[in-house]
Amino acid sequence: KTKKPKPMVEVSQHLIENDPNFIKVYYKRNPGLHNSNEFDLAGWRWHLVVKEEEGNLSIYLAVPENATDLPRLVRFQISLLCNDIEKSIYLDSQIYSFDSPKEDQGFGNMISIDKLNKEKAGFCVNNTIQIGIFIKSFAPTNSSSTNISNEIIPYVGLKNQGATCYMNSLLQFYFHIPYFRKLVYDIPYSETEPICSALQKIFWKLEQIDENINTNPYSSSSNAVSTQELTKAFRWNAKDSFTQHDVQ
């Protein structure tokens, strides 16, 4: 049985670089289960449910009790930010529909309390943690319809290994240039060129998704294409995949 959250605790919040889909919340730690103050993001009002119990910190995105603008079809990311940005924790949801007031969805056991308490870990300063929230909407914010199945975006694209979103966006950009795609396919296979082979496989798998969508636009596949073979060819390790790489 879920415990009733304790009264709201104060948080400070501000938007980053005027991005209407992202907010950073400064949360003053307090053991137990708590609601944050409400905030506006991606055209809707939300709050966080933060649970610091049983040796772990859990964070959930929640719909306010008095919300009427439902359903909300979204994909979201909750991040626990660290002073050393490479050590920050980023967790992404699948596309999810919030259908009722007080509904919450998020991630349990994001970090252990022992690690959170360690000053050298860099997650907690002056008993305050920084939580990043990003929300992508997949339905109009003013929609009054409860039938939103046809508003789902069917393209599933590439899997994010942690912080490979810039690389993924560039790969998908090139994939949609037919001439470039043909050049990639025309590269002769060679065991000494694993990058070319991995790129060919990614493009081919993306084409299979496109063919399925053309046959039935609303049969969205959840099988996003992996880029692990490509990053392995780059000789990246797990840390590299969780390091933000700008497009250059």
Side-chain angles (χ1 to χ4, degrees), residues 25 27 36 63 88 162 178 188 196 245:
V25 173
Y27 180 82
S36 77
V63 177
S88 296
C196 296
H245 297 273

Side-chain angles (χ1 to χ4, degrees), residues 175 181 185 201-215 221 225:
F175 168 76
R181 194 189 320 176
Y185 286 150
K201 290 179 182 178
I202 287 173
F203 280 10
W204 182 83
K205 290 177 181 178
L206 286 173
E207 278 197 5
Q208 306 315 301
I209 293 174
D210 274 359
E211 288 179 5
N212 290 337
I213 290 171
N214 289 334
T215 303
S221 169
V225 176

Side-chain angles (χ1 to χ4, degrees), residues 34-153:
H34 300 275
N35 288 326
S36 77
N37 285 343
E38 294 181 3
F39 53 86
D40 294 309
L41 196 58
W44 288 304
R45 199 154 181 80
W46 308 88
H47 67 86
L48 297 179
V49 177
V50 183
K51 184 173 74 169
E52 192 171 323
E53 293 180 335
E54 301 174 354
N56 291 288
L57 178 76
S58 304
I59 305 174
Y60 303 90
L61 181 66
V63 177
E65 185 174 5
N66 60 350
T68 57
D69 49 356
L70 298 164
R72 305 175 181 181
L73 189 67
V74 301
R75 191 166 192 169
F76 63 90
Q77 180 187 84
I78 297 179
S79 52
L80 186 60
L81 304 177
C82 181
N83 288 340
D84 182 351
I85 195 64
E86 293 186 3
K87 296 180 180 179
S88 296
I89 299 171
Y90 302 91
L91 295 178
D92 295 282
S93 75
Q94 298 296 319
I95 295 177
Y96 183 81
S97 180
F98 289 86
D99 297 321
S100 59
K102 301 174 65 174
E103 184 173 356
D104 62 70
Q105 184 75 6
F107 306 99
N109 305 335
M110 286 190 69
I111 189 173
S112 69
I113 300 302
D114 288 342
K115 185 174 182 179
L116 196 62
N117 288 336
K118 290 180 180 177
E119 185 176 348
K120 290 184 178 179
F123 287 100
C124 184
V125 178
N126 296 326
N127 204 40
T128 300
I129 59 175
Q130 299 181 55
I131 304 169
I133 308 294
F134 176 85
I135 298 176
K136 170 64 178 177
S137 168
F138 287 94
T141 57
N142 61 354
S143 174
S144 59
S145 171
T146 57
N147 181 12
I148 54 178
S149 60
N150 287 358
E151 296 171 12
I152 298 175
I153 294 178

